Amino acid sequence: MGLPRWNFSDKTERQIRIVILTIVGLIMAYEKCYGVSSTQYPAMYLCVFALIATYMTNKVQRRFFTYVMEYAQAFRIVAMLMTCAFFIIWLLTTYERFTLPATPSHLIYNL
């Protein structure tokens, strides 16, 4: 039985990898120039999980994880889910950053 397998061709996997890593690279470049800590952390985690998700291709799994293909595939699925989750978190934090009014830092509230 086992986990679902994606039998994409090497060309298709390469194109998917290029698109995902380009998007992640643009997000990291944006965060380097204009980011704040609330958006940089999700972007960093997005980068880590995107690297794992894109480089655990079928060819890598066959070559290095021959006897534990099920576990490598599960690891790849989890990395893809975490990549999607952190991309959504990054989108939400970036949206909130631009839509919510900034609290002036020079105000001190004495209660």
Side-chain angles (χ1 to χ4, degrees):
M1 188 78 176
L3 292 169
R5 304 279 312 160
W6 294 292
N7 291 321
F8 296 129
S9 67
D10 289 339
K11 182 180 178 185
T12 304
E13 283 188 343
R14 190 177 323 112
Q15 289 174 343
I16 291 170
R17 187 169 48 242
I18 288 170
V19 168
I20 290 174
L21 293 179
T22 301
I23 291 169
V24 169
L26 291 172
I27 289 172
M28 291 304 289
Y30 172 79
E31 289 298 324
K32 172 70 174 148
C33 297
Y34 305 109
V36 295
S37 64
S38 65
T39 59
Q40 286 174 347
Y41 285 109
M44 288 187 292
Y45 286 120
L46 168 68
C47 181
V48 169
F49 285 110
L51 287 174
I52 295 169
T54 56
Y55 283 109
M56 285 291 283
T57 62
N58 287 328
K59 187 163 69 169
V60 168
Q61 289 178 28
R62 276 192 244 84
R63 182 170 181 191
F64 296 108
F65 303 102
T66 306
Y67 300 110
V68 288
M69 289 281 281
E70 293 290 320
Y71 301 110
Q73 185 66 20
F75 193 69
R76 183 181 186 188
I77 291 170
V78 169
M80 287 179 188
L81 292 174
M82 294 298 287
T83 301
C84 293
F86 278 110
F87 183 67
I88 292 168
I89 291 170
W90 179 80
L91 286 174
L92 288 174
T93 55
T94 304
Y95 174 76
E96 286 180 356
R97 180 177 150 207
F98 289 121
T99 58
L100 294 178
T103 306
S105 60
H106 66 280
L107 294 178
I108 299 174
Y109 300 106
N110 293 324
L111 300 175

